Amino acid sequence: MEFVGFHKIPRLFRDITITEKIDGTNGCIYVPEDPEQRILVGSKTRWITPETDNYRFAKWAYENWLELRKLGPGLHFGEWWGQGIQRNYGLKEKRFSLFNVAKWSDPAVRPVCCHVVPVLATGLFDTGFVKNTMINLMLTGSAAAPGFMQPEGIVVFHKAGNLLFKATLEKDE
């Protein structure tokens, strides 16, 4: 039998980024290396098309395919949210917000048809810091849709562990 070593364990008290958890539906854009190939559009569990759509996300993506190619080759995940989806957030339109805030926070580098989930806080991991960020979100409302006072919660990205954790303001037991 070939020896398999034990993996390195990341340190807990390292950098985290806390973003707003938006209540919509998961979306995925795959941009192929070959510019002649069409982009692919996915939900959380499957590839979709305008004929097998998820809240019209595929229709939107195919209408914006040229701009979405600017994401570059690979898989790009985000949340499709707004009018008619889950909490609605008081919006009259739908939006696609990318999850990778390290790459897409600057509006000058991301496609104009895309948003990014809002960063609520950054710092060293500390449960008090995380809880205070949640309390602030509850008191001030959504950063993604200012004025909307029923945000869903937060996502904590632990950089050293390369892990995501979520916490919701309601029903998080």
Side-chain angles (χ1 to χ4, degrees), residues 122-142:
T122 59
L124 291 179
F125 174 78
D126 175 273
T127 55
F129 177 55
V130 173
K131 287 179 182 178
N132 285 338
T133 302
M134 285 191 68
I135 290 167
N136 189 51
L137 178 66
M138 183 176 61
L139 295 174
T140 61
S142 173

Side-chain angles (χ1 to χ4, degrees), residues 18-89:
I18 303 173
T19 58
E20 182 174 350
K21 182 177 186 323
I22 300 173
D23 191 11
T25 186
N26 189 273
C28 170
I29 305 289
Y30 172 71
V31 179
E33 292 271 350
D34 182 351
E36 298 297 315
Q37 287 185 319
R38 189 174 180 175
I39 65 168
L40 295 176
V41 183
S43 67
K44 190 173 196 167
T45 59
R46 63 189 171 92
W47 294 115
I48 58 175
T49 67
E51 295 75 37
T52 62
D53 218 336
N54 186 24
Y55 292 98
R56 301 178 66 130
F57 179 58
K59 180 181 184 309
W60 172 86
Y62 289 137
E63 288 171 354
N64 291 279
W65 72 271
L66 191 57
E67 188 66 18
L68 290 169
R69 286 199 72 83
K70 294 178 183 176
L71 292 168
L75 287 167
H76 306 278
F77 295 94
E79 195 77 0
W80 180 239
W81 62 288
Q83 184 184 42
I85 306 172
Q86 308 297 4
R87 292 173 195 254
N88 296 298
Y89 289 82

